[in-house]
Amino acid sequence: MASDNTTKACMALFIAGLFIISALVVIPVDTDGADGAGFTIMDQKGNKVSFDGPVDHIVTVGKGITATVIQLGAVDKIVVADKYSNTDESSLFDAFRARVSEGKATAGGTIFDSGRESLKAEIIDAADKEKRFDRAKDVVLLTGSDTYLVKGGLIDFLKNEGFRVLVWNDVYECDDIIALVKDISMIVTGKVSSDVDDMKAVKEKVSSKLSENGI
């Protein structure tokens, strides 16, 4: 990424993180390897999923997760996302909307009561009917409130169906957003994206300037 675009790229990823819905802290990524080697990701709830390398396909539930995967250049790996990732009018989501239009991905469900069954059906179809998703190798990334993910039964449903699931609730702090981007970059590329270092540099520069001005 060109240096003059660093700030824009980092802020786009920061904004993507702000789409995520509720109120805790991301547990830092646990990487046992890089550059295609095996690694393990631990989510906010302490769930661990091990990977032999980057996934071929992914389910992204939450605009922040979808946006981050797109920013990392892996939109072609998304086979299912939530409805809001498809209806957001930002040009960032154009490539994903094109996949939906071409029948390469679906995005009709949500984590909420009115859309949960549609989301479940689309994920099941991606694995069983369309054969686009491998339960044993790929992963479902979920974001949102436990009211809908836990009490609504979505997490348990997916796990009982044999899907590998990673879950985050709230990601608002700068360091937590950077950690989540690091997680996702490992999952979709098998290595830590250079964007992570760019984001850290932006944070340090902003913090330094604020400190210089007594803020």
Side-chain angles (χ1 to χ4, degrees), residues 65-77:
I65 294 293
T66 304
T68 303
V69 171
I70 293 170
Q71 287 275 348
L72 291 167
V75 65
D76 289 346
K77 296 192 175 188

Side-chain angles (χ1 to χ4, degrees), residues 50-65:
S50 295
F51 300 85
D52 293 332
V55 298
D56 291 326
H57 302 101
I58 195 168
V59 172
T60 59
V61 180
K63 290 197 296 183
I65 294 293

Side-chain angles (χ1 to χ4, degrees), residues 7-194:
T7 301
K8 289 182 179 179
C10 293
M11 289 308 298
L13 289 167
F14 279 21
I15 291 168
L18 294 178
F19 284 128
I20 299 172
I21 313 208
S22 313
L24 269 174
V25 176
V26 174
I27 298 173
V29 63
D30 172 15
T31 58
D32 294 329
D35 297 322
F39 56 92
T40 299
I41 301 293
M42 182 168 65
D43 68 11
Q44 191 178 50
K45 297 184 174 301
N47 300 308
K48 290 184 178 182
V49 174
S50 295
F51 300 85
D52 293 332
V55 298
D56 291 326
H57 302 101
I58 195 168
V59 172
T60 59
V61 180
K63 290 197 296 183
I65 294 293
T66 304
T68 303
V69 171
I70 293 170
Q71 287 275 348
L72 291 167
V75 65
D76 289 346
K77 296 192 175 188
I78 303 174
V79 295
V80 178
D82 61 296
K83 178 178 70 175
Y84 305 110
S85 295
N86 189 42
T87 58
D88 190 289
E89 295 181 356
S90 167
S91 60
L92 173 64
F93 295 91
D94 285 350
F96 175 68
R97 283 194 293 270
R99 283 183 60 76
V100 174
S101 297
E102 295 164 2
K104 297 177 180 178
T106 58
T110 72
I111 64 172
F112 305 115
D113 295 345
S114 60
R116 192 177 302 121
E117 293 308 313
S118 294
L119 180 61
K120 290 178 182 178
E122 289 183 5
I123 295 173
I124 292 291
D125 284 349
D128 296 343
K129 184 179 178 181
E130 305 295 337
K131 304 297 183 184
R132 294 174 178 162
F133 189 96
D134 188 329
R135 283 176 168 85
K137 295 180 180 179
D138 296 324
V139 69
V140 178
L141 303 186
L142 297 175
T143 60
S145 167
D146 280 346
T147 299
Y148 305 105
L149 298 180
V150 177
K151 293 181 181 179
L154 181 59
I155 295 173
D156 285 343
F157 170 81
L158 292 172
K159 287 184 175 180
N160 289 338
E161 288 290 331
F163 290 94
R164 307 193 315 163
V165 180
L166 290 169
V167 182
W168 288 269
N169 295 124
D170 289 340
V171 184
Y172 289 117
E173 296 295 327
C174 179
D175 287 342
D176 299 337
I177 295 171
I178 293 172
L180 182 56
V181 173
K182 184 178 180 182
D183 283 4
I184 297 175
S185 68
M186 285 295 298
I187 291 168
V188 297
T189 70
K191 60 185 178 181
V192 177
S193 169
S194 61

